[in-house]
Structures are given as C-alpha cells and as structure tokens.
Amino acid sequence: MDEDTEAAASPFSMPDPPRDGRHRVTQLADRLREQILQAELKPGDRLPSEVGLAEAHSVSRTVVREAIAILRSEGRLDVRRGVGAFVCEPNAIAAPFADLSLERISSVIELIELRIGVESQAASLAAARRSPEQLEAILAAHSEVGRCIRDGQSTRMTDYTLHLRIAEAAQNRRFPELMTLVKIGMVSSVPVTDRDRQNAPMPANENLQSEHAAIVNAILLSDSDKAATAMRTHLEGSLRRYKELLVNGVSG
Amino acid sequence: MDEDTEAAASPFSMPDPPRDGRHRVTQLADRLREQILQAELKPGDRLPSEVGLAEAHSVSRTVVREAIAILRSEGRLDVRRGVGAFVCEPNAIAAPFADLSLERISSVIELIELRIGVESQAASLAAARRSPEQLEAILAAHSEVGRCIRDGQSTRMTDYTLHLRIAEAAQNRRFPELMTLVKIGMVSSVPVTDRDRQNAPMPANENLQSEHAAIVNAILLSDSDKAATAMRTHLEGSLRRYKELLVNGVSG
DNA sequence: CCATCATACTTGTCCGGCAAGTTGGTCGCG
DNA sequence: CGCGACCAACTTGCCGGACAAGTATGATGG
C-alpha cells in the first residue's frame, strides 16, 4: 500500500497524485482515524499542527484541514483555535449498538430489555395500523418460523424476520430502522459458515410458536393492547430463560 | 497593519468575518444537511458547484469543500470528480436515525412513538435499579428544567438531559446509547443560529414540570409500574400536542 | 448519421497569505 | 525580587488564485 516514495519537489508538477483509487483527504482521514482507534493517539493527546501533518504525510494543508474537519464532525477530534486538535474520549462517540454480540449473554439480555419496550410498542401500533399486505407478510413469516421448527433448523433468522415484519407494520420507519440496528444481536453476525460456531446456546423455546401465534393473532384482530401484552410476554420469557442460562452457567 | 481603509472590496480586507460564534464550515454543513433533511434537496439532486455554493453563501471555496467533505463522510453526498455532488438516498446512509429533524413534525411524531416504548421501559428499570448517584443526577436535571422554565429559556436541552439521566439509571447501556442516537431529534442540530429559522414550534407544555415530577417521584419511590405509566403519559401528551399541531397546520 | 475532437465546467490538490486566538517568555516598573 | 503588561511565536480559520484531471456537451468533419 506504500509506493509513493518519490516526492516530486517541482512546484506544480503533481497536484494530483498517482491515482490510488481514493482521495488523499479520505486516505488521511482514515489513517488518522486508524491511529486513534489503535490508541496510537490516546484521548487527550494533541495532534501535530496542520503544517506538521501536511509535511509528515506529504500533502497540502488543505487536505489536512478537510481530513481534520471530517474527524471533528465525527466527534473524534476537538479542535481549538490557536491551540490545536485534541483526541476526544472514545466513549463520547462510540457507535451505538456497535458491540452487539450473541456470544455474550449479558449483551443478549441487555438487548432483550430494550426490545421489550420497543417491540411491545411496535406490536401495539402494528395491530392498529397494519395494511393487508403487511398482515400477510407477518403471517407468512410466522409460517416460516413454524417450518424451521418442524425441519429442525435454527429459527434465529426467521424469528428475526417475523419481528421485523411486525415492526414494519407499525407504519413508523423508526421501528424497522431500530430492528436492523439490533439485527446482529439477534442473528449471528458471522454467517454460521461451517463449523457450528455455537453462539449463545439460544435456549430453545418450546412455546415459541404459540407465543408468536398470540402476537400475530392479536395483530390480526387489531387488538393493540393484547398485541403489546403478548409481545411483552414473549420477550420477557426469552429474558427469563437467558437470565437462567447466565446463572446456571453456559456449560451446563 | 492598517487595512481597514474601506474594508469593502479590497482583496484581503476581511478574511475572517464577524464572529458568528461557530465555524463557517460547521454552519454551512449544518445548513446543507438541513436542506437535505427537509427535502429541499431531494435524493439524486445535484448540488450547485463549489464556486456556486461559495458565492451563494458568501464563503470561500475552502469552506465549501470542507463542508462537503463532512457530508460526504456522513454518506449524504456522493461527489464525482468533474461532475458534481449528488444527494444520496437516505436509506443508503449507514447510520439509522440519520434523517432525524425537528423541522418535520412527522419526524418528531415518529420519534416520540418510538420513545414511548423505549423510555417507559427505561423508566421502569430505572425505578428498580437506579443508584443513589443516578437518583441525584435525575433530581438535578429535573431542577434544571424548572430553572429553564422560570427563566423563560428553552427547555429542549435540559429536557433531553433529564430523559438521558433516566435512561442511564436503567443500568443498561442500550438505553442511553439509543438516547444519544435520537438526540438530534429532540434538540436542534442547528443551534438556532439567530433570527428566523424557527424550528418546529415545540408546543409549550404547561404541565411539563408536573409530568416530569410524576416520573421522577415514581423513580424515587422505586415504583416501576408507576414510573413506566408516568413516562408513557408524559410522552403521549407530547405526541398528542404534536399531532394537533400537524392537523391545525404549522402556520398558526 | 456517426465518430471525433475542442471546449467549458467541475472536482482534487497545492500554494501563499492574512486575521484571530492562545501560549509563553521577556521586559519594565514598583 | 515580584508581578503585571507587552510582545513574539505558534496555531487554527479563512481567503483567493492556480493548475491537473475527469466529465459532458456541442461543433466539426467524414
């Protein structure tokens, strides 16, 4: 990735570099971001001055300024006029929901606690607002879950799809948006490639289909309160099972 | 260094404008972002050229470039060399909740519907789990809201802080994470530059303090159900006011 | 009608410069 | 000697011009 050894000192000989596929600004921003992420630049540290960075990376101050502007807009740098640019605390900018994982049961529990609030509300709204097409999609997804159960397959993906369909039926973009955000906390981020990378053991829920049926039925009947309650019951059941798993230990 | 002879059109008379409090780059980036969020610039539209934007906003091309670099890094603009900058499809933006806006009442309503589910759950958990320190922080934030009301200031920021403190007291990272995600949907991303640009009229809630008090009190008493109900009542009241605003028209 | 080319326009980068804010040291004065 | 005022250096914020390179469009010639 490093081939630009020559400097070409002539004044206007090479304003545009040998096309590396990306902009110098993006490159520099990525490099600086990497340095921050790798803790080469620790929070509180002051970056070299703009001219210093320009010389160090063999770019103009314009490029440095644009790169710094990007990192500043990301909340990674705090630039003070006349002083310099300082690395911000990472927790102030950490991407939300970036550390979702099925591996850590505590993470799954945290997520379910959030989903109880979100999805019971989504189910309530879905019962009141779902279009006929959305109702069909929900019923289809429900059937898919049943098929997976009968076939002995994992219900993780189909279960997520059903919950997503319900969120979509709430007629509010925020709900499906949030579902996509928490998706990797419900289905394995790793596509279960080959060896069964057993994630969190996912305590089998024998009542899964009946609990889902209660939710779907309430939405079918446009009963908002019942839909919310059924969703809450469903998720609280999952929450309880995962908590038991946490107490009893994963090995058992 | 006498250059203030006329300061009108001399070449280097006024590189730095009268301090507007914030950077021109940030201002311009916010204005362009707002235009995109408000659909003044629809997906697929081409922005004016950099020199055109520079003239239109009375800034240098340097400022325009830095602002565009920020929006590009946010995934809102697709810049093609020799062609121009185009507004991206909003769903193409990596970060969900990227199109939150106080300007569009429909966006505020959508957000509140989500918050009803999330924050009532957060209040419930907060009532059960809050530490003494977190309780103090909630009480302090509650007092701050009251101070803003008495001083006639906007309660937007302090209100957000109170809700954030409650989310933090839920002892579940997901809740404050989600709150930071929806922050710009609760407080204006553009700090109310100066005149006009009145944001969403934010229907004043005369019962704000008493509704907050009910929530805070329930958390104080560790009454989970009451906390959840109070939060739900509080947000449903806001939802109702915004819906009325939407029906009656913004102009009034 | 179509291929080709000239040209205008746009973005990417570089350069030098000035204004304004901050810091640290020096100097003068009590 | 102590201390405040002042000044010089450094840094960021912004400006304007210039050139290289990519793209699009219309003119031109076959």
Side-chain angles (χ1 to χ4, degrees):
Chain A
M1 53 183 74
D2 48 352
E3 74 301 323
D4 53 336
T5 53
E6 70 290 359
S10 65
F12 289 119
S13 61
M14 202 176 64
D16 226 355
R19 44 169 307 117
D20 351 47
R22 265 156 57 260
H23 311 302
R24 282 167 115 85
V25 171
T26 311
Q27 281 183 308
L28 179 56
D30 289 346
R31 290 171 70 170
L32 292 177
R33 190 185 300 110
E34 204 68 17
Q35 287 186 17
I36 295 174
L37 261 40
Q38 308 263 334
E40 297 174 28
L41 291 171
K42 288 178 280 287
D45 284 1
R46 208 200 88 180
L47 266 67
S49 71
E50 295 177 354
V51 289
L53 283 172
E55 293 174 358
H57 295 84
S58 301
V59 294
S60 71
R61 199 184 147 212
T62 306
V63 172
V64 173
R65 281 194 58 79
E66 285 190 30
I68 289 181
I70 291 174
L71 296 179
R72 191 188 53 187
S73 80
E74 293 176 3
R76 292 191 162 85
L77 288 181
D78 177 36
V79 183
R80 292 199 290 270
R81 180 179 192 159
V83 184
F86 299 83
V87 178
C88 290
E89 298 293 330
N91 52 2
I93 51 123
F97 303 95
D99 62 335
L100 287 179
S101 168
L102 276 175
E103 322 287 333
R104 295 194 347 273
I105 299 182
S106 63
S107 171
V108 178
I109 290 177
E110 283 179 342
L111 190 55
I112 294 180
E113 284 187 349
L114 178 67
R115 289 177 56 202
I116 288 174
V118 174
E119 296 199 47
S120 62
Q121 173 76 352
S124 171
L125 295 176
R129 301 175 177 172
R130 85 288 185 290
S131 71
E133 293 79 12
Q134 288 168 334
L135 181 61
E136 281 186 31
I138 291 173
L139 292 170
H142 180 47
S143 299
E144 273 299 294
V145 176
R147 190 187 54 77
C148 283
I149 292 176
R150 283 193 304 277
D151 294 0
Q153 298 177 3
S154 168
T155 59
R156 224 170 249 159
M157 190 58 206
T158 51
D159 178 75
Y160 167 77
T161 301
L162 173 59
H163 284 262
L164 175 64
R165 293 288 173 265
I166 294 173
E168 289 171 344
Q171 308 283 22
N172 180 330
R173 289 174 297 171
R174 302 307 163 202
F175 288 94
E177 274 182 11
L178 185 59
M179 292 304 292
T180 65
L181 207 55
V182 303
K183 177 178 181 179
I184 61 175
M186 295 176 61
V187 303
S188 178
S189 56
V190 196
V192 191
T193 50
D194 26 292
R195 319 177 310 158
D196 60 344
R197 0 202 327 89
Q198 47 181 10
N199 296 335
M202 179 58 165
N205 180 5
E206 300 174 356
N207 304 323
L208 179 66
Q209 193 68 346
S210 63
E211 290 179 8
H212 278 177
I215 302 169
V216 172
N217 198 49
I219 295 175
L220 172 67
L221 300 176
S222 299
D223 189 332
S224 288
D225 291 342
K226 195 174 169 185
T229 302
M231 178 66 82
R232 175 175 292 270
T233 302
H234 171 50
L235 290 175
E236 283 179 345
S238 294
L239 183 62
R240 181 179 44 76
R241 287 192 300 277
Y242 275 104
K243 281 186 176 176
E244 289 172 357
L245 200 67
L246 190 59
V247 173
N248 299 338
V250 189
S251 58
Chain B
M1 54 184 294
D2 50 354
E3 79 300 351
D4 52 353
T5 56
E6 196 42 54
S10 68
F12 291 117
S13 59
M14 202 176 65
D16 223 356
R19 46 169 303 116
D20 352 49
R22 263 160 58 260
H23 309 303
R24 284 164 111 82
V25 172
T26 310
Q27 280 182 308
L28 179 57
D30 288 345
R31 290 172 70 171
L32 292 177
R33 190 185 301 109
E34 213 67 17
Q35 286 186 18
I36 295 174
L37 261 37
Q38 289 187 275
E40 296 174 26
L41 291 170
K42 288 178 280 290
D45 283 1
R46 208 199 87 178
L47 265 66
S49 71
E50 294 178 354
V51 289
L53 284 172
E55 293 173 0
H57 294 85
S58 301
V59 293
S60 71
R61 199 183 149 214
T62 306
V63 171
V64 173
R65 280 196 58 79
E66 286 189 28
I68 288 181
I70 290 173
L71 296 179
R72 191 188 52 186
S73 79
E74 293 176 2
R76 292 190 162 84
L77 288 182
D78 177 35
V79 184
R80 293 200 290 271
R81 179 179 193 160
V83 183
F86 298 83
V87 178
C88 291
E89 298 292 332
N91 52 4
I93 298 180
F97 302 93
D99 61 336
L100 288 178
S101 169
L102 273 176
E103 321 290 332
R104 297 198 335 279
I105 299 183
S106 63
S107 172
V108 178
I109 290 177
E110 284 178 342
L111 191 56
I112 294 179
E113 284 187 348
L114 177 67
R115 288 177 56 202
I116 289 174
V118 174
E119 295 198 46
S120 61
Q121 173 77 353
S124 171
L125 295 176
R129 302 174 177 171
R130 86 285 187 288
S131 71
E133 293 78 13
Q134 288 168 333
L135 181 60
E136 279 187 31
I138 292 173
L139 293 171
H142 180 48
S143 300
E144 273 298 294
V145 177
R147 190 186 56 75
C148 284
I149 293 177
R150 283 193 305 276
D151 295 359
Q153 299 177 4
S154 168
T155 57
R156 226 171 248 159
M157 190 58 205
T158 50
D159 179 76
Y160 167 76
T161 302
L162 173 59
H163 284 262
L164 175 63
R165 292 287 172 265
I166 294 172
E168 288 171 345
Q171 309 284 21
N172 180 332
R173 289 174 298 171
R174 302 307 164 203
F175 288 94
E177 277 180 9
L178 185 59
M179 292 303 292
T180 64
L181 209 54
V182 304
K183 177 178 181 179
I184 63 176
M186 297 177 61
V187 301
S188 178
S189 58
V190 188
V192 189
T193 50
D194 28 294
R195 58 234 177 84
D196 61 355
R197 57 174 304 87
Q198 48 187 4
N199 295 338
M202 180 57 165
N205 180 4
E206 300 175 357
N207 304 324
L208 180 66
Q209 194 69 348
S210 63
E211 289 179 8
H212 278 176
I215 302 168
V216 172
N217 199 47
I219 295 175
L220 173 66
L221 299 176
S222 298
D223 189 333
S224 287
D225 291 342
K226 196 173 167 187
T229 303
M231 178 66 82
R232 174 175 292 270
T233 302
H234 171 51
L235 290 175
E236 284 179 345
S238 294
L239 182 62
R240 180 179 46 75
R241 285 192 301 278
Y242 276 105
K243 282 186 176 176
E244 289 172 358
L245 200 66
L246 190 59
V247 173
N248 300 337
V250 190
S251 58

